[in-house]
Amino acid sequence: MTTKQQTYQERAEQLVKTIDIAKKVIVNSKSLDDKTRTHFLNWGRDIKNMALNPEPQFKKVASLKYLKNDFLIYWNEEDGKDIEKFWSKLYENGIDFEKKDTIQAVLKRKRIKDIHEYESVIDNIVVAEQMGRINKTQVKVLNQMIGEFEQRQTNKGK
């Protein structure tokens, strides 16, 4: 059985629908303060605009993947009622994005595989440690993997 590849427009519309679902969850959230709520709503609006009105050089499926990954970081890395509601609503609306914990995936694999994972680890390592999702040993391992990834990238450029 073959699955049809989605076009840029189909993927952009799916991301926009995801952002609209997130907006409803954020607006009705009992756990977010006004400053955080405003930040997330503005972030969603900006991502939506970049997806629907990309500069010509960014109208690529790969660019949308970056936007999707960036937008989903919070929804992937956090827990709670809002997060559960968000993923449940995506499922109800036929959006097949899956919740990923990048840090745990990297730790399990023992390697950062690409720039998306690298940026996610860099952006979330401190918060993950502060929240108790990873311990000091795991922080050291992640920092070593960050260094190894950076070395691989440097070697690619030579």
Side-chain angles (χ1 to χ4, degrees):
M1 182 172 161
T2 59
T3 56
K4 175 183 164 282
Q5 287 281 28
Q6 287 183 308
T7 65
Y8 178 92
Q9 192 60 37
E10 289 168 332
R11 287 175 184 241
E13 288 168 10
Q14 187 177 46
L15 179 57
V16 165
K17 195 173 182 182
T18 300
I19 293 167
D20 290 342
I21 289 168
K23 179 179 178 180
K24 290 176 187 169
V25 172
I26 291 164
V27 166
N28 295 311
S29 174
K30 305 281 189 243
S31 62
L32 297 174
D33 61 46
D34 288 341
K35 183 178 178 183
T36 304
R37 185 178 284 117
T38 299
H39 170 76
F40 280 135
L41 293 173
N42 290 341
W43 173 239
R45 184 197 62 229
D46 292 346
I47 294 283
K48 190 191 277 192
N49 187 48
M50 287 185 272
L52 292 175
N53 306 300
E55 294 181 32
Q57 69 269 29
F58 295 119
K59 192 169 184 174
K60 298 178 178 128
V61 170
S63 296
L64 270 179
K65 187 174 181 180
Y66 279 105
L67 291 176
K68 179 184 104 173
N69 288 340
D70 288 349
F71 182 76
L72 290 177
I73 286 173
Y74 170 76
W75 304 101
N76 277 321
E77 303 290 337
E78 293 298 322
D79 293 312
K81 289 182 180 178
D82 292 342
I83 307 306
E84 291 170 22
K85 183 182 284 186
F86 170 77
W87 288 105
S88 174
K89 292 290 182 191
L90 286 189
Y91 178 76
E92 289 171 15
N93 283 276
I95 298 172
D96 63 353
F97 295 162
E98 61 184 60
K99 189 174 195 287
K100 298 176 188 167
D101 186 336
T102 303
I103 288 178
Q104 291 304 322
V106 165
L107 285 168
K108 185 176 180 181
R109 187 183 324 106
K110 297 180 172 91
R111 186 172 184 270
I112 297 172
K113 69 177 181 180
D114 59 29
I115 193 70
H116 300 293
E117 285 188 348
Y118 171 79
E119 290 174 350
S120 180
V121 170
I122 293 286
D123 291 345
N124 293 290
I125 191 170
V126 173
V127 174
E129 182 183 18
Q130 289 171 343
M131 293 178 62
R133 290 185 29 240
I134 58 174
N135 60 39
K136 291 197 182 302
T137 303
Q138 291 169 314
V139 170
K140 286 180 185 176
V141 170
L142 287 166
N143 280 320
Q144 182 178 345
M145 286 189 265
I146 289 167
E148 290 166 359
F149 180 83
E150 290 170 345
Q151 188 63 47
R152 286 194 312 269
Q153 297 306 302
T154 301
N155 292 342
K156 276 185 185 177
K158 290 182 178 179

